[in-house]
Amino acid sequence: MSAEGNSAVGEHGVSKQAKAPKRKTAKPESRLAMVRRARKINRELAEVFPYAHPELDFRNPFELLVATVLSAQTTDLRVNQTTPALFARYPTPEDLAAAVPEEVEELIRPTGFFRAKTKSIMGLAAALRDDFGGEVPGRLDDLVKLPGVGRKTAFVVLGNAFGVPGITVDTHFMRLVRRWKWTEQEDPVKIEAEIAEIFPKSEWTMLSHRVIFHGRRICHARKPACGACPITHLCPSYGEGETDPEKAKKLLKYEMGGFPGQRLDPPPGYPGRPAPPLGASG
């Protein structure tokens, strides 16, 4: 080897003069490319979760409204395990509005924050009785005036009880649309507005279900199951979680992981097992 060659090699055989190859900087994604990618993710999630649905048990708009309010800061499973006794005792807004608060608190205690939630659901029940003839209104402007009801809750009710399209921006939805680079916003209302510009209105409700399903089952907050994800080829955040396929499979939840779902009474076509009632082993 020449002296010149030797001078370029350190004691471990690594060149001192040669610079590491520069990584190619990814070309910024255009707005059009992002929209196309977002819509493709939605189409592929529709194939993965053709059975996506609201994961709260309900038989009418009133039950869905109350269940959604109760779902704040707890799981849909815990709400579903709690509401059968609640609705058996107070099946109508009139019944719930006239209830003894302490008795309602005991029934909904498993959902957490039961005193504040009791105030909300009894307040909205009274408003339904006094202002809407005991019926849940089918308009956003009316729903958000009810105690404990914000835009997220209103869109859950509108989309699933009335067939009115809406985007449900919960914690799962917020996390995933940011991971997928559909938006950089952090405010739920701004996220809702930006996502609404990407998809046709007819897709809003089912898009919400698919994204939330994916977030609950695969793309978790702390450790996404990247190695078991069916849309890695479309995800700019691939690698944030576990990439080993076998290890990733162990992170899957609900029916994707072979476990019961969140509903005690799932809709027809749901491929998983119903959740157990409150107090039962699952």
Side-chain angles (χ1 to χ4, degrees):
M1 182 178 289
S2 68
E4 182 178 1
N6 258 334
S7 66
V9 180
E11 62 178 305
H12 299 297
V14 179
S15 171
K16 292 180 180 179
Q17 295 179 351
K19 294 182 178 179
K22 291 184 178 179
R23 292 183 178 180
K24 288 185 177 180
T25 303
K27 186 178 179 181
E29 186 177 40
S30 69
R31 166 75 181 179
L32 178 59
M34 183 276 289
V35 170
R36 286 175 173 169
R37 180 172 58 81
R39 292 183 176 183
K40 189 170 184 182
I41 286 176
N42 182 42
R43 290 195 300 272
E44 296 202 10
L45 288 181
E47 295 179 3
V48 176
F49 304 113
Y51 50 88
H53 60 273
E55 294 193 85
L56 290 167
D57 287 326
F58 68 98
R59 295 169 296 185
N60 54 56
F62 173 62
E63 290 190 357
L64 178 58
L65 177 60
V66 171
T68 306
V69 172
L70 293 179
S71 71
Q73 295 182 290
T74 190
T75 63
D76 286 358
L77 170 59
R78 183 49 57 94
V79 174
N80 292 337
Q81 292 173 324
T82 302
T83 50
L86 177 71
F87 295 139
R89 188 155 184 181
Y90 310 111
T92 69
E94 291 83 359
D95 295 323
L96 183 55
V100 176
E102 290 77 13
E103 294 178 359
V104 176
E105 288 177 2
E106 280 306 305
L107 286 171
I108 69 169
R109 182 183 290 267
T111 69
F113 303 95
F114 56 91
R115 291 191 179 91
K117 289 180 180 180
T118 293
K119 185 177 181 180
S120 291
I121 64 175
M122 289 189 67
L124 71 83
L128 294 177
R129 177 196 62 194
D130 299 340
D131 302 331
F132 298 99
E135 300 292 331
V136 176
R139 295 177 62 248
L140 176 64
D141 290 346
D142 291 331
L143 284 168
V144 295
K145 293 176 183 176
L146 299 173
V149 179
R151 291 179 69 86
K152 182 185 78 171
T153 295
F155 281 132
V156 170
V157 174
L158 289 172
N160 298 289
F162 294 101
V164 177
I167 295 173
T168 303
V169 183
D170 74 347
T171 55
H172 300 286
F173 193 94
M174 291 176 66
R175 178 177 73 254
L176 268 62
V177 297
R178 287 173 56 81
R179 277 182 178 166
W180 293 334
K181 311 301 182 187
W182 293 359
T183 181
E184 294 182 353
Q185 299 292 342
E186 296 184 0
D187 178 75
V189 175
K190 291 180 179 178
I191 290 174
E192 176 196 321
E194 288 201 359
I195 303 306
E197 292 180 355
I198 298 174
F199 298 91
K201 194 171 184 179
S202 60
E203 285 290 309
W204 290 355
T205 298
M206 287 309 302
L207 169 73
S208 300
H209 289 322
R210 293 164 191 152
V211 173
I212 292 169
F213 255 57
H214 191 65
R216 284 176 170 167
R217 287 151 176 77
I218 299 176
C219 196
H220 311 135
R222 294 183 180 177
K223 198 167 186 181
C226 293
C229 178
I231 58 166
T232 54
H233 56 294
L234 298 169
C235 182
S237 298
Y238 172 74
E240 284 189 10
E242 179 59 66
T243 57
D244 179 84
E246 292 305 314
K247 292 180 180 179
K249 284 181 183 178
K250 296 178 181 179
L251 300 175
L252 299 178
K253 295 183 178 179
Y254 305 116
E255 78 283 354
M256 299 294 285
F259 302 108
Q262 299 204 85
R263 294 189 68 163
L264 279 67
D265 184 24
Y270 175 66
R273 290 182 285 144
L278 193 65
S281 59

